[in-house]
Every structure is written in structure tokens, then in C-alpha cells.
């Protein structure tokens, strides 16, 4: 089955200011974020990409711009609102230091499956919509581009953590244990039996993710090799 490269957007002006941006319009990458986005194209050099999908928010589209400029065959990214940031409702635009004093903050950190943002959505709803989106896109790409295809999606921290938790078979209450830095890449290969998480929050070289023929003896589809792969 195809391999998904989940990219968190580069560092944004809201990240720098310590603001919970949510769906606030006009939140752009800062200078560091733009440099991270520019470097992403080089980090992914040599990895063929079948499709680019993006959250509709500016900071995600800006993160993909240098990569897509280097890969004109991909065209514009396909936007999917289901990969957009959590709808934080009344928390949107507020300083994180202020939000940390709210009683709901501890629920978000310790029992996220019970957390619903006032005037917004619950983290359960976020998980359902994003996991559904990823799995639907993966099946479509397998049909259109083949089982060995690699595709990229640019999204947000909580979205990526929810998708990783699902791939690892973790309860949503454990998703805060997962860390994804700005412009990091998380790689997940889906198979009919189970997903395999290949990288989580990787900010370094990605060349080994390029598809290549394996010299090792074949294993049943979806089976892990005991002891790992050399």
C-alpha cells in the first residue's frame, strides 16, 4: 500500500508568539518557517511523489510552496478541510500561557478523548475526521498510482498526532505522548493488515524513504520482520 509523508507546517508567527492559532486567517510562516519550507524540497529530493494534499490554511500551503515549485508535475496541492487544524472555538487566538490556567487544559493534556473546546470541536471529532481523510486518500492513491506510491500531506500538530496514534493502535488519550516539530516529516505505510509507522517527527534526511526493490526474502504482506530490517 502507499506511503504517506505527513508534514507539519513550518514554524508560524503564532508559534513564535505562543498563540493558539486554530483557523485564524492570515497566520503565515515566520522567517524560520520559510527556511524550513525551503529545506524540505531538498530533504525530499529523490523521493517520487504521486500527490500533494494540504490543509487549506495559509501556513500549510506556504510550507509546500518550495517543494511544489521544484516538482511542477505535481501541480497545485489538493486542499482537504478534513486535514485542517482543530476548531478550537473560544480558545482560538488566545495565548497558550493564559489557556494553561483553564481547567480544560488538564483534560486536554491528560484525558484528551474527553476534551471538547467551547464553541469548537472535540478532539475525538478531530481524530475521526483526520483519520478518515488519510485512509480515504490512501485507498484512492493506491487505485490511481499503485501500491508503491508515496504521497505527501501538510497539516498541523494535533492532526498528525491523532493520525499517528491511530496508526500505532493507541487510544487517543495517549496522543500527547507523540511529538511532531514544525516542518517535521512523519511517514506511515498502510497495508491491508496494519499500518507501519516508519518515521515520527523527523527533521533530518529522508532519502531512505525512497521506494527501492528489496533484496531480502519476501514476507507475507503486512508482516513485520522479526528483529527489524537491516
Amino acid at each position: 500500500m502507499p506511503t504517506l509523508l505527513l508534514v507539519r507546517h513550518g514554524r508560524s508567527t503564532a508559534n513564535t508568539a505562543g498563540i493558539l492559532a486554530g483557523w485564524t486567517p492570515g497566520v503565515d510562516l515566520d522567517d524560520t518557517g520559510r527556511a524550513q519550507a525551503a529545506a524540505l524540497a531538498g530533504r525530499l529530493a529523490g523521493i517520487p511523489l504521486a500527490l500533494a494534499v494540504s490543509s487549506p490554511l495559509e501556513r500549510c500551503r506556504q510550507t509546500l510552496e518550495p517543494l511544489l515549485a521544484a516538482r511542477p508535475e505535481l501541480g497545485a496541492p489538493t486542499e482537504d478541510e478534513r486535514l485542517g487544524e482543530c476548531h478550537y472555538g473560544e480558545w482560538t487566538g488566545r495565548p497558550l500561557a493564559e489557556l494553561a490556567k483553564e481547567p480544560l487544559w488538564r483534560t486536554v493534556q491528560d484525558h484528551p478523548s474527553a476534551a471538547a473546546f467551547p464553541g469548537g470541536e472535540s478532539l475525538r471529532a478531530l481524530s475521526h475526521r483526520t483519520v478518515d481523510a488519510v485512509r480515504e486518500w490512501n485507498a484512492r492513491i493506491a487505485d490511481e498510482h499503485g501500491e508503491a506510491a508515496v504521497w505527501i500531506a501538510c497539516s498541523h500538530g494535533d492532526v498528525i498526532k491523532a493520525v499517528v496514534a491511530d496508526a500505532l493502535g493507541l487510544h487517543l488519550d495517549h496522543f500527547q505522548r507523540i511529538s511532531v516539530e514544525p516542518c517535521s516529516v512523519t511517514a506511515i505505510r498502510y497495508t491491508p493488515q496494519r499500518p507501519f509507522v516508519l518515521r515520527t517527527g523527523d527533521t533530518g534526511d529522508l532519502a531512505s524513504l525512497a521506494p527501492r526493490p528489496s533484496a531480502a526474502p519476501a514476507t507475507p504482506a503486512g508482516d513485520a520482520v522479526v528483529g527489524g530490517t537491516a
Side-chain angles (χ1 to χ4, degrees), residues 143-161:
D143 289 341
E144 296 179 359
H145 299 279
E147 300 291 326
V150 181
W151 62 290
I152 191 168
C154 190
S155 190
H156 308 266
D158 282 347
V159 170
I160 295 171
K161 291 191 296 182

Side-chain angles (χ1 to χ4, degrees), residues 75-177:
T78 302
E79 295 182 7
D80 189 336
E81 288 200 358
R82 295 175 298 173
L83 294 178
E85 182 60 284
C86 184
H87 292 278
Y88 293 114
E90 295 172 15
W91 279 31
T92 302
R94 293 176 60 188
L96 293 171
E98 177 183 297
L99 292 172
K101 300 174 185 177
E102 295 277 356
L104 179 60
W105 181 269
R106 286 268 41 101
T107 304
V108 172
Q109 302 304 314
D110 301 333
H111 189 19
S113 66
F117 297 98
E121 70 179 329
S122 68
L123 287 173
R124 295 189 313 280
L126 168 76
S127 176
H128 292 158
R129 67 170 163 89
T130 56
V131 169
D132 283 350
V134 162
R135 290 180 177 270
E136 286 175 18
W137 276 111
N138 209 67
R140 174 176 170 181
I141 288 164
D143 289 341
E144 296 179 359
H145 299 279
E147 300 291 326
V150 181
W151 62 290
I152 191 168
C154 190
S155 190
H156 308 266
D158 282 347
V159 170
I160 295 171
K161 291 191 296 182
V163 172
V164 172
D166 170 76
L168 290 172
L170 295 177
H171 193 282
L172 185 62
D173 283 343
H174 298 311
F175 100 133
Q176 296 290 24
R177 302 181 184 192

